[in-house]
Amino acid sequence: MATTADHMAVRAAALRDLLPPVTRRRTRIGLVAGGLGTYWPQFPGLLPQLKESAAHVADRLREMDVEVTDAGFVSDAQEGARAAEELRRADCDLIVLFLTTYLTSSMVLPIAQRSHTPVLVIDLQPSQKMDHASFDTGAWLAYCGQCPVPEVGNVFRRAGLPFRSVSGWLRQESAWRRIEQWIRAAHIRAGLRHARHGLMGHVYPGMLDVQTDPTLLATTFGSHVEVLEFDDLRHRVERVTETEIRERMALARQIFTLDESVREEDFAWGATVSVALDRLVADFELDSLAYYHRGLDGELHERLGAGMILGASLLTARGVPAAGEYELRTSVAQLASQSIGAGGSFTEIQALDFEEGVVEMGHDGPAHLAVGARTPLLRGLGVYHGKRGWGVSVECDVRHGPVTLLGLGQDADGSLSFVTSEGTVVPGPLLEIGNTTSRVDFGRDPGEWVDAWSATGVGHHWSVTVGRHTADFRAAASLLGIDHRQV
């Protein structure tokens, strides 16, 4: 039976054929292995064996869609300091420190201090256990990588550095799954650390929870927020040609089913705005986009805001997540989700079904097309609820199976947090109103779930992702230096 991940991969591959994904900086992983140099002249066969293990680790890491900077093998504090400088220059998103045998903490503390990069300590002995009958001291020392782990943990704590470790054996797949989780977390850190978030228009009046200080994203993640005007979009709309409009409409017909409610002129307008949005994203090198404009009586800026949904959905499918209602924190959550290939569609609570025990979720506006259970629908709407304007909207239902919600919470001191909850999308009736919708079973009374979720500090929008990813987001929060809260 095909898994949820398989389904999403097939859908994503089909979309990639039509919508080539944007190219971003690859996640950078630093690697340094080490052991106590005093051992090498004492046991001549030990160092070659340990270096062979280090080469295996490097090969496994390179299979994880990352760029690896291998600082080599360190045997004393001086070599550790040189490795620290090399990794500092490499601007890594995570450093993997491989303790192959005992070493002193003085050899590795500079690597964590000078690089200003999160560190993952790993100790992977050559096999499941020693052969006690045949081992001598030199053979035993190859299995002694666990010995310095508490020492390094103690020194990191005393230095005020977060400590993370994975202990196991070299070809233990369960250990490598734990390492892979930290690499996925590094993908999220890389995505947010180098992101350029577009923020276009103005905040939805009265939504106090969505108001976000752009400086906070720079100081928390390293992200840049590019403040845009709807005139930046208008300027590009005016330069879209009739040929480009026809081509975009043809592309949309390959991706969407067009409902009979779609009016040709509204479809053409959505296609026009879509072409202009692509140029806006390219010109400003955006990695995400949050937008809103209230407008008045059908004037041009209102029509631009109303025409965003088609183009914003196509951008999201390409890996540039878009969120309406000026929801900057949710577009950040969507980008974090996108960074690990988990989708990330804009959503909120719609209603509760106490008979079936589910929370109904959804939102109007852009959808992540790769998470859908079926071909997405373009529906024509004569009015947008809670917003001015009219036009084409995307209707999509999240496919059945496990999902993870990711929202960004904020506390009284301004600090951000990752807030997650795992549930299962189940069958049942859905509204046909041009929204992305789902019915999520959290395994508890839906009212109790809403109370617990709302108490975390999350806003009323978040990203819905396909699969179980709480562990990934928890690890990413650790690398980013923020809290993680799970409901």
Side-chain angles (χ1 to χ4, degrees), residues 167-188:
S167 299
W169 56 282
L170 195 61
R171 288 171 173 79
Q172 182 185 4
E173 288 307 311
S174 59
W176 277 105
R177 284 194 295 272
R178 292 160 61 201
I179 294 170
E180 288 168 357
Q181 177 184 292
W182 286 107
I183 300 301
R184 287 194 297 273
H187 284 308
I188 294 174

Side-chain angles (χ1 to χ4, degrees), residues 351-407:
L352 306 182
D353 183 337
F354 288 96
E355 286 189 1
E356 299 295 331
V358 301
V359 180
E360 298 189 49
M361 294 186 183
H363 210 289
D364 62 337
H368 197 306
L369 305 180
V371 307
R374 55 186 169 84
T375 302
L377 180 77
L378 275 186
R379 184 179 294 279
L381 296 178
V383 61
Y384 290 155
H385 75 275
K387 304 176 182 68
R388 299 183 188 272
W390 66 93
V392 293
S393 187
V394 172
E395 188 170 295
C396 180
D397 57 303
V398 179
R399 67 177 162 274
H400 304 159
V403 292
T404 305
L405 311 185
L406 173 65

